[in-house]
Amino acid sequence: MNRLIKVAKKTLINNRKLNYTLPTNTKLYPAQWNWDSAFIALGYSNFNLNYSFKEIETLVSGQWSDGMIPHILFHVKDLSYTPNYKAWNCGKKISSSGITQPPILASILRIIIERQKFSKKEIKKYQALILKIKKYFKWFIKYRDPKRTGLISILHPWESGYDNSPLWDKPMSKIKIDSKLEYKRKDNQIVNKNQRPLKIDYDRYVTIKNHFRQMKYDPKKLFYKSKFNVVDVGFNSLFLKALKDLNFLLGLIGKKNSSFKKYILLNESKLIKLFNLKKMKFKNKDLKNNTEIEIPSITNFFMLYADLNNNQINTQLIKSLKKYYKNDKYFFPSISSNHKSFEDKRYWRGPVWINCNWIIYQGLKNKDKKFSEIIRKQTINLIEKQKFREYYSSKTGLGLGAKNFSWSAALYLDLKLNNT
Ligand code: GLC
């Protein structure tokens, strides 16, 4: 067996706590993160189905009574992270953050269940999880698209998972920072501060969080009052794909949902409109300030992952994706290296992220097999050179951020062991 496959498995096991896994073994992220756990569960499913099931079960056990599954679960009352469980002050059985993250969990669960070719009896074990995820999606539609426009809003940059992306620069620049902010960052002591978000970003993240806390995280109020309310192409693409996958899973357990079917059609028709076919450009909508955002981000291409029922758009998306990274030796840069906001080493402002590559790869598999194989192989090569880092420079391939990063290990396993 390839040596790095062994190391990848070991990395996950070493980062594993009781029934959940940390994003890395350093002190950078000492809790359970929502989309990290989904990718990690996929990694485990390649060698330990029990760990994979437990990872998801633990994540879902943090679900709020309204249906939300938080972006962070603080299983240990640890004060070392900023903002820690006290600063959020929410979550019922399990302390948590008061916001969510991309619900890729449903898509991951579908892959795991389909690959295993489970019998009806084995699928039964997953029934309770599927129903809880259904509640999670109802929450999204009810509270993040209360006017049923067909598009889901995120109310904090952390909800996107691409925290300091230039996508948020304009809406964030409008936010007045609280005058009495009290918090102490540790992330920029653990990792080189040139590879982390700026102070001004954190000031605004914490300002939005404090505002949510004042409103007691009431989902009915947050949508209308949040200082940040954005319809993001990437997030909606992940949402749409996940909703399609959830509907498939509900079918497996005999619980297909017709209201989801309607929302899928509505979401798809609205999402398509965020891509301008002629100019080959995407737009995100800043609902708070009633403006549009046009930033060349890899996350826009998650539209390929949404499996749109539209060949013309898919073909154009592939064409633009090929142009998007043509100046980069290692791909995909999180932000186009031609754009003025591109920064080679800073977090979500340029570096290559393995989860983005995995998402694009999945989206291309059934549309352009040859291109998808190039992505799979190049992503594997990058990891084999630099090991399981949090992100990598698109110019030099240098590994950056945290070491022993769980989702890079998990997705390496997945890319290496599954190429059909
Ligand atoms: C950062 C990333 C986010 C990830 C988390 C834990 O906040 O931006 O995507 O889930 O770290 O790895």
Side-chain angles (χ1 to χ4, degrees):
M1 189 175 39
N2 171 310
R3 201 189 67 85
L4 206 59
I5 291 183
K6 273 196 198 152
V7 181
K9 294 179 182 172
K10 237 179 124 194
T11 303
L12 291 178
I13 307 271
N14 287 346
N15 292 351
R16 191 164 187 265
K17 298 280 157 191
L18 194 65
N19 295 332
Y20 73 95
T21 309
L22 300 174
T24 156
N25 64 348
T26 64
K27 295 205 164 72
L28 192 59
Y29 307 116
Q32 184 178 23
W33 260 259
N34 186 325
W35 75 334
D36 296 62
S37 261
F39 294 125
I40 290 165
L42 182 67
Y44 281 135
S45 74
N46 286 290
F47 67 101
N48 189 326
L49 211 51
N50 181 38
Y51 283 4
S52 156
F53 183 82
K54 289 280 178 214
E55 187 74 32
I56 300 177
E57 198 179 43
T58 309
L59 175 64
V60 168
S61 72
Q63 183 165 41
W64 285 16
S65 50
D66 63 12
M68 183 183 80
I69 302 182
H71 103 292
I72 307 177
L73 298 180
F74 299 102
H75 297 288
V76 178
K77 307 271 186 225
D78 182 331
L79 292 174
S80 68
Y81 184 72
T82 302
N84 59 43
Y85 77 99
K86 273 195 180 161
W88 282 103
N89 191 34
C90 57
K92 269 198 175 161
K93 274 181 292 170
I94 302 170
S95 293
S96 72
S97 68
I99 56 174
T100 192
Q101 248 189 343
I104 193 147
L105 177 63
S107 303
I108 298 286
L109 197 56
R110 174 174 179 177
I111 301 178
I112 295 173
I113 290 180
E114 278 202 304
R115 266 196 205 146
Q116 299 296 329
K117 300 197 172 57
F118 281 143
S119 66
K120 277 227 158 90
K121 207 175 136 212
E122 286 165 317
I123 290 173
K124 265 239 131 121
K125 189 177 167 208
Y126 288 81
Q127 177 148 332
L129 287 182
I130 296 172
L131 292 175
K132 285 183 184 161
I133 299 175
K134 175 182 171 194
K135 195 172 165 196
Y136 183 28
F137 278 76
K138 283 195 155 170
W139 172 88
F140 266 115
I141 297 171
K142 185 167 177 195
Y143 295 117
R144 294 314 182 82
D145 181 16
K147 300 178 195 159
R148 297 295 184 281
T149 63
L151 292 166
I152 299 289
S153 282
I154 51 169
L155 305 182
H156 194 300
W158 283 337
E159 292 202 308
S160 69
Y162 18 107
D163 309 4
N164 67 337
S165 165
L167 284 165
W168 323 130
D169 285 359
K170 242 169 83 187
M172 287 293 267
S173 71
K174 301 277 187 324
I175 295 178
K176 231 182 106 221
I177 294 162
D178 273 356
S179 54
K180 292 181 294 252
L181 280 185
E182 266 179 49
Y183 71 94
K184 221 178 173 174
R185 278 174 78 179
K186 296 189 189 83
D187 64 295
N188 51 6
Q189 291 161 21
I190 302 168
V191 164
N192 182 334
K193 69 179 184 0
N194 299 328
Q195 298 170 22
R196 295 291 305 175
L198 303 174
K199 175 179 184 309
I200 187 146
D201 299 323
Y202 258 79
D203 282 353
R204 292 186 175 122
Y205 299 148
V206 175
T207 297
I208 309 176
K209 185 221 37 120
N210 289 350
H211 184 224
F212 288 175
R213 183 176 167 169
Q214 275 160 25
M215 288 186 284
K216 301 201 162 44
Y217 304 99
D218 178 348
K220 283 194 228 90
K221 287 190 192 152
L222 296 195
F223 182 88
Y224 296 99
K225 302 234 163 110
S226 173
K227 298 171 192 288
F228 180 96
N229 185 330
V230 172
V231 163
D232 171 51
V233 171
F235 194 95
N236 275 276
S237 302
L238 296 178
F239 180 84
L240 175 58
K241 172 74 166 108
L243 192 56
K244 288 177 179 176
D245 291 335
L246 172 64
N247 222 28
F248 173 89
L249 292 174
L250 287 169
L252 284 186
I253 58 167
K255 299 228 163 33
K256 262 221 152 89
N257 187 308
S258 62
S259 69
F260 281 162
K261 245 188 162 166
K262 268 196 223 145
Y263 198 83
I264 287 171
L265 292 175
L266 182 63
N267 191 211
E268 179 148 337
S269 68
K270 292 296 175 67
L271 183 61
I272 281 173
K273 294 203 177 110
L274 301 181
F275 179 60
N276 185 323
L277 261 182
K278 271 201 210 122
K279 292 195 199 151
M280 302 224 279
K281 276 194 170 156
F282 301 87
K283 62 169 188 245
N284 284 4
K285 291 182 177 186
D286 176 353
L287 298 192
K288 182 77 188 171
N289 303 295
N290 204 10
T291 52
E292 287 172 359
I293 302 168
E294 274 191 27
I295 300 281
S297 162
I298 190 62
T299 56
N300 292 329
F301 293 98
F302 291 174
M303 228 189 231
L304 280 163
Y305 181 62
D307 272 344
L308 304 173
N309 190 11
N310 187 318
N311 284 340
Q312 199 194 3
I313 291 199
N314 288 333
T315 309
Q316 283 298 83
L317 285 171
I318 293 173
K319 252 199 209 159
S320 352
L321 177 59
K322 286 184 175 161
K323 277 197 195 145
Y324 174 86
Y325 74 95
K326 70 175 190 309
N327 297 323
D328 299 275
K329 184 153 177 224
Y330 302 91
F331 48 88
F332 295 106
S334 39
I335 293 297
S336 161
S337 54
N338 292 330
H339 194 259
K340 58 180 189 303
S341 65
F342 173 85
E343 287 182 70
D344 185 37
K345 296 193 175 68
R346 199 183 296 283
Y347 217 38
W348 290 98
R349 302 183 74 86
V352 176
W353 286 77
I354 301 303
N355 65 336
C356 293
N357 283 19
W358 181 89
I359 290 166
I360 305 276
Y361 164 68
Q362 295 298 329
L364 281 173
K365 269 195 321 192
N366 59 0
K367 302 177 189 72
D368 187 335
K369 187 78 193 155
K370 204 169 139 211
F371 188 18
S372 77
E373 260 311 286
I374 294 174
I375 296 167
R376 195 179 74 83
K377 291 203 175 119
Q378 129 89 25
T379 307
I380 288 175
N381 285 343
L382 181 60
I383 299 174
E384 289 182 345
K385 276 200 196 107
Q386 294 286 318
K387 309 293 174 312
F388 308 117
R389 298 299 296 261
E390 194 177 5
Y391 36 95
Y392 307 79
S393 159
S394 65
K395 294 296 177 198
T396 63
L398 185 73
L400 302 162
K403 291 182 181 155
N404 305 303
F405 196 64
S406 295
W407 85 38
S408 300
L411 297 177
Y412 173 75
L413 281 178
D414 203 65
L415 291 171
K416 194 82 188 167
L417 302 176
N418 304 280
N419 64 348
T420 46

